[in-house]
Amino acid sequence: MDELLADLSRKIKDGTYPSGSQLPSGRKLADEFDVSKSTISRAVALLREHGVLVGRPGRGVFVAESDRR
């Protein structure tokens, strides 16, 4: 889980997932990182708690605008 969080954070910082962009679906992220969808869900929840990601009901999960991080 720590490695996944580090990888996701790195991809956000390096612009792979830029500020304001929508993250790929949980299934796509699970395939990309070779982990279960539930592991992705836990990682996304932690990053949301830390203000790195924001959920938009009915739309998905987005990278927080840079002024919110």
Side-chain angles (χ1 to χ4, degrees):
M1 174 74 114
D2 290 338
E3 186 177 335
L4 172 60
L5 288 169
D7 287 347
L8 273 171
S9 295
R10 179 182 45 76
K11 286 189 174 229
I12 290 166
K13 287 178 184 167
D14 75 11
T16 302
Y17 303 131
S19 178
S21 69
Q22 184 174 12
L23 283 186
S25 70
R27 182 176 306 273
K28 286 183 182 178
L29 287 172
D31 289 344
E32 178 180 341
F33 291 101
D34 195 29
V35 296
S36 71
K37 193 173 170 209
S38 65
T39 300
I40 291 293
S41 295
R42 289 195 312 269
V44 166
L46 283 171
L47 291 173
R48 287 178 65 181
E49 286 177 20
H50 287 91
V52 176
L53 300 174
V54 293
R56 296 186 183 153
R59 295 191 57 215
V61 177
F62 293 78
V63 177
E65 297 294 331
S66 55
D67 62 326
R68 294 186 63 188
R69 287 189 271 152

